[in-house]
Amino acid sequence: MTSYQFPDTFRWGAATAAYQIEGAATEDGRKPSVWDTFSATPGRTLNGDTGTIACDHYHRYEADVKLMAELGIRHYRFSVSWCRVIPDGRGAVNDAGIDFYKRLVDCLRDHGITPHATLFHWDSPQALEDRYGSWRSREIAQDFADYCTAVVTRLGDRVTSWMTINEIACFTHMGYAVDHDPPHAPGTRVRRSRDVWQTSHHALLAHGLGCQAIRAASPGPCSIALVDNPAVTVPLTESPADIAAAQRALHTCGANGGILFPALTGAYSPALLEQLGEDAPIVQDGDLETIHQPIDALGLNIYTGTYVRAAENERGYEFLEFSDTYPRLNMPWLWIVPDAIYWGVRHLRETLNRPDLPVFISENGCAAPDRLTPQNEVLDTDRILYLRQYFKSVHRAVDEGYPLHGYFIWSLMDNFEWAWGYDRRFGIIYVDYSTQRRFPKASFHWYAECIRQRRVV
Ligand code: GBH
């Protein structure tokens, strides 16, 4: 019998990102990011939606923080908008932009909520896109580090938990892929696959230089994390053969071998390099040392997974397809694979040889076709079903002694879901975009009860 009880020290939180919630796109000196330009381009986002207003969190952050306090979370992960802080991408710092984050962080701390700030969640300054094609250029790594210095110098007295970059594979491999659907800003089509891998290599360099910059600028001790979305291989059965297959397959699943492997082990995965051949990125002397910076924690964004089993082929494993009726939630890729959390965490010890690296789930959640009832309720039992299974998987990892220290739900509230605009709702708070009123969903109350009892209810 297990009651799925969590230790008192386990950290419960919620996550958001700047462009998805802030709005106030032209206020207080902010200049456009690539997502402003991209979403304003006809045909790029569903219904032509943009983040110009989004959840208007820029003006409503106090009410939103009150809702967090009601939820009972003690940790909040948000992102800082580069083009609010340094509107031209490099050069002058915009104090009015910094002041917003000071107000937000002070408000969080007044409510007993610890801020966790991500320095980059996909909204690169348009000015750097115009100057050198953003992540196509190595130059962006140094500009990102200088931006980190600017933020940490000014906010480091109030924020000590930093995350450098969110999901390198997404904004690089989706933003520059030869033909990616749905599209992602900046939406540049590069010539070949190697050019795509070069953009993620530059992002890894930015992470490394960013780590150094944060440490140098922080006025006191701080924690620095990378946030990755690993493509998690889940053994079909937990037989030794399938487990070994899942471990081998981790290298070539998604972009793991070219992102998580170099960041955590200091080398691109040999299996991936072999697969890429001529398409491997160009790595200069010293790059891998820069990328392989000491970090204090790793954030994993895990929504789904990939089943793997042992096979009698050259590689020794095979990936399994999902059947048409395999359950998923309201995104084409959102198959329900709760065990992906447990295996994502476990692979760090056994497959990546980083047994002691503190880890937290920096995002997990789902989109559901939520409707407001006449009584202003959202009865998202599908989301609760999803979360309850994933929480049990979180519990298993903690219970077995893996260093999993916390969990951030994606997302605190419905928001601008990139190419899907406002059509897909990931929040546990419903946002009525016509009035900006917030309505806590049934899943909000369910999560609050889990936090109160510190167990899966
Ligand atoms: C997170 O990424 C983001 O960090 C967050 O901003 C976002 O709101 C949230 O997910 C919900 O989507 O379209 O078939 O090519 C999640 C990881 C990786 C999931 C890329 C979708 C693309 C699949 N994402 N993946 S596909």
Side-chain angles (χ1 to χ4, degrees):
M1 260 287 280
T2 172
S3 58
Y4 297 106
Q5 194 73 45
F6 281 83
D8 292 355
T9 49
F10 192 80
R11 301 164 164 202
W12 297 103
T16 62
Y19 191 70
Q20 294 181 272
I21 64 166
E22 285 179 2
T26 56
E27 238 162 289
D28 295 336
R30 183 186 181 277
K31 286 189 183 170
S33 71
V34 292
W35 266 99
D36 292 87
T37 312
F38 184 78
S39 60
T41 308
R44 293 306 217 172
T45 64
L46 195 63
N47 304 318
D49 289 343
T50 74
T52 307
I53 299 171
C55 305
D56 195 31
H57 174 75
Y58 191 80
H59 299 113
R60 297 168 192 267
Y61 70 91
E62 284 178 300
D64 291 337
V65 172
K66 281 206 182 74
L67 285 166
M68 295 180 213
E70 259 173 54
L71 177 60
I73 53 172
R74 305 288 295 276
H75 299 272
Y76 175 56
R77 171 176 177 237
F78 62 96
S79 82
V80 177
S81 156
W82 187 343
C83 55
R84 228 181 250 300
V85 174
I86 304 184
D88 292 315
R90 61 162 67 160
V93 175
N94 173 31
D95 287 326
I98 285 284
D99 287 346
F100 166 67
Y101 297 105
K102 285 187 177 165
R103 292 194 296 278
L104 169 65
V105 165
D106 289 347
C107 183
L108 288 165
R109 287 159 50 111
D110 287 347
H111 287 81
I113 298 169
T114 303
H116 299 256
T118 306
L119 286 149
F120 182 74
H121 197 126
W122 305 359
D123 44 356
S124 348
Q126 180 63 36
L128 298 185
E129 177 63 21
D130 298 340
R131 182 188 280 264
Y132 51 58
S134 29
W135 300 98
R136 284 186 284 159
S137 167
R138 245 181 111 86
E139 278 188 65
I140 198 161
Q142 188 56 53
D143 282 334
F144 176 73
D146 293 343
Y147 153 69
C148 291
T149 302
V151 174
V152 177
T153 318
R154 291 165 179 80
L155 293 177
D157 57 339
R158 312 160 149 85
V159 177
T160 56
S161 178
W162 299 101
M163 292 165 220
T164 52
I165 299 190
N166 183 71
E167 297 190 352
I168 288 175
C170 279
F171 64 89
T172 57
H173 292 216
M174 290 164 65
Y176 299 89
V178 180
D179 40 15
H180 194 276
D181 182 42
H184 190 288
T188 314
R189 280 162 200 255
V190 293
R191 244 174 349 108
R192 50 180 286 199
S193 171
R194 185 172 75 195
D195 300 330
V196 177
W197 282 101
Q198 205 63 50
T199 62
S200 52
H201 186 70
H202 296 150
L204 283 165
L205 284 173
H207 159 72
L209 295 180
C211 287
Q212 294 171 348
I214 296 166
R215 279 219 212 276
S218 178
C222 66
S223 161
I224 305 177
L226 172 67
V227 175
D228 186 47
N229 60 311
V232 180
T233 53
V234 175
L236 182 63
T237 74
E238 292 191 7
S239 67
D242 282 352
I243 290 175
Q247 291 174 342
R248 273 198 300 278
L250 191 74
H251 291 249
T252 54
C253 197
N256 296 337
I259 292 174
L260 203 51
F261 279 74
L264 296 190
T265 72
Y268 279 72
S269 154
L272 175 77
L273 289 179
E274 198 189 314
Q275 193 175 295
L276 290 181
E278 298 270 277
D279 281 327
I282 296 162
V283 177
Q284 296 184 10
D285 281 352
D287 281 3
L288 290 165
E289 289 71 30
T290 304
I291 289 167
H292 184 38
Q293 285 300 305
I295 50 176
D296 305 288
L298 178 71
L300 294 179
N301 295 353
I302 297 179
Y303 293 83
T304 186
T306 303
Y307 291 110
V308 173
R309 69 170 174 181
E312 309 258 323
N313 58 25
E314 224 173 80
R315 301 191 300 186
Y317 61 83
E318 63 182 357
F319 296 112
L320 302 178
E321 300 281 311
F322 291 101
S323 73
D324 289 348
T325 57
Y326 189 96
R328 47 181 154 172
L329 275 158
N330 203 23
M331 290 294 260
W333 49 267
L334 198 41
W335 290 285
I336 304 178
V337 186
D339 298 321
I341 296 223
Y342 170 77
W343 281 100
V345 172
R346 181 164 161 179
H347 279 310
L348 296 176
R349 179 184 293 176
E350 296 179 352
T351 316
L352 285 141
N353 197 26
R354 293 295 302 263
D356 303 319
L357 182 63
V359 43
F360 46 89
I361 301 301
S362 32
E363 285 179 29
N364 168 247
C366 63
D370 303 315
R371 294 275 173 275
L372 210 50
T373 68
Q375 291 76 36
N376 284 340
E377 290 187 297
V378 178
L379 300 172
D380 53 343
T381 48
D382 39 8
R383 180 174 286 104
I384 293 173
L385 169 115
Y386 173 100
L387 292 172
R388 184 180 280 125
Q389 300 316 314
Y390 279 71
F391 280 25
K392 289 178 182 174
S393 188
V394 173
H395 182 268
R396 179 178 175 199
V398 174
D399 202 44
E400 291 186 15
Y402 292 95
L404 174 54
H405 296 304
Y407 172 96
F408 295 83
I409 204 164
W410 184 273
S411 180
L412 177 71
M413 57 187 152
D414 296 337
N415 57 49
F416 176 74
E417 179 53 29
W418 309 112
W420 294 87
Y422 298 100
D423 189 65
R424 301 298 159 109
R425 297 176 174 272
F426 274 83
I428 55 170
I429 296 171
Y430 184 93
V431 176
D432 176 346
Y433 294 106
S434 63
T435 60
Q436 290 294 349
R437 277 186 69 190
R438 274 82 161 132
F439 300 94
K441 302 179 189 176
S443 56
F444 176 102
H445 301 296
W446 175 82
Y447 187 32
E449 193 57 26
C450 289
I451 296 171
R452 208 179 62 77
Q453 297 193 31
R454 293 192 306 279
R455 65 184 196 88
V456 187
V457 298

